[in-house]
Amino acid sequence: MVSTPVVLGLDFGGTKIAVAVGDLSGRRLGATTIDSRVESGGAAEAMARGIAAAHGLLAEVAPDQQLAGVGAATLGIPYDDRVELAPTFPGWGELPFGRLIRDGFPGVPVRLATDVKAAAEAELRWGALAGSDPGLYLNLGTGLAIAIVAGGTVITGAHGASGEIGYNLRSPADVYVGPDERTILEHVVSGQALETTGSARLGRPVTAADVFTMARTQLDAAVLTDEFVRELAAHLANLAIAIDPDRIVVGGGLVRSWDQLEPGLRRALDAAVPFPPELSVARFPSDAPLIGALALGVEAAGAVLGAEAFA
């Protein structure tokens, strides 16, 4: 009996590393999660622990099966020798990310992506963006970013940084000013931003989820969430005007408050966009980057195994 090849997906986040093993259709055979925050060893140790967890999971759920492809998603923009735009994880930017992944799985084809683009890959292949052209994936989590889907693929950009709207200018006063000298959009519209602003203005430590919960009954919190949604809506409407998507899907931790987010976003799109797109929660709102990493693994495997393996 010939064993069926498997693929591996790894999602490296600022607080956790998620790993999954799947078959060539992307169906998960097993998964595990470990904490990426370590007291000593920093980013290098976190990477080593993630690769070790992946080997442990492979030994557990697919001990005698060929590993045909690896997909790795990460915060920031991954390259073979570094990770760009990953300031929230000290030391992560200096890691030779792609080389470490390839060294961890010698001879196995590897695909890399940002976590948000991996999430969009999952939605395009198996989720709410299937058949969308063009479509937008909006990630509302600790940070803020979008991914653009067109022609059956996720657009990466010249440097892998398309969709990094967290760096957007917020007003004409921001023109000619570097990101280190102005308030970028992610500092105002993201889970981390809402937590910081909410804690300062509400007078006690709160999470972004707390702010949305308090907004149901407290005016000061409601003002915060209205400001948040209005600014997000302005940038989302401008994106929709520029790209003319047929569909926008939203994922990330803040979609737990979708009933408070959706009305303002829907109203803005209907008012401003010549051809308003559909708007919905993603099919995989919380674990899309890991599912997308599996999709990247399937893609990597296809380059070697050929189409007949997927029939």
Side-chain angles (χ1 to χ4, degrees), residues 114-254:
T114 71
D115 49 5
V116 174
K117 290 182 180 65
E121 185 74 33
E123 295 294 335
L124 174 62
R125 185 179 285 264
W126 298 305
L129 285 174
S132 182
D133 188 11
L136 287 178
Y137 176 85
L138 168 64
N139 184 75
L140 291 176
T142 303
L144 174 70
I146 62 107
I148 303 166
V149 168
T153 191
V154 179
I155 304 301
T156 58
H159 306 92
S162 68
E164 294 295 325
I165 65 168
Y167 289 86
N168 273 18
L169 305 178
R170 299 180 57 237
S171 76
D174 290 338
V175 178
Y176 313 126
V177 181
D180 294 336
E181 300 173 347
R182 58 181 168 85
T183 301
I184 62 175
L185 183 60
E186 190 173 69
H187 291 164
V188 179
V189 180
S190 65
Q192 188 172 53
L194 193 56
E195 179 177 318
T196 300
T197 305
S199 297
R201 287 172 54 176
L202 300 175
R204 65 179 179 85
V206 293
T207 65
D210 292 336
V211 176
F212 276 104
T213 299
M214 294 165 66
R216 299 183 188 277
T217 58
Q218 298 183 30
L219 180 60
D220 49 359
V223 169
L224 272 174
T225 58
D226 181 67
E227 292 172 354
F228 181 97
V229 173
R230 279 177 178 268
E231 182 140 10
L232 172 62
H235 289 268
L236 191 62
N238 283 339
L239 278 166
I241 291 168
I243 296 170
D244 188 26
D246 58 14
R247 199 174 310 155
I248 298 174
V249 303
V250 186
L254 292 187

Side-chain angles (χ1 to χ4, degrees), residues 11-96:
D11 172 31
F12 293 88
T15 59
K16 65 182 177 66
I17 301 169
V19 184
V21 175
D23 62 20
L24 294 181
S25 71
R27 180 176 62 91
R28 277 185 279 190
L29 306 175
T32 189
T33 301
I34 64 171
D35 197 332
S36 62
R37 296 168 295 189
V38 290
E39 297 301 323
S40 62
E45 183 179 334
M47 169 64 83
R49 291 173 64 244
I51 291 175
H55 281 290
L57 185 64
L58 284 165
E60 177 185 344
V61 303
D64 300 315
Q65 291 165 269
Q66 174 195 359
L67 178 60
V70 174
T74 179
L75 74 165
I77 313 298
Y79 294 85
D80 273 357
D81 61 347
R82 67 195 188 282
V83 180
E84 296 279 4
L85 309 184
T88 58
F89 195 155
W92 198 249
E94 288 73 49
L95 287 181

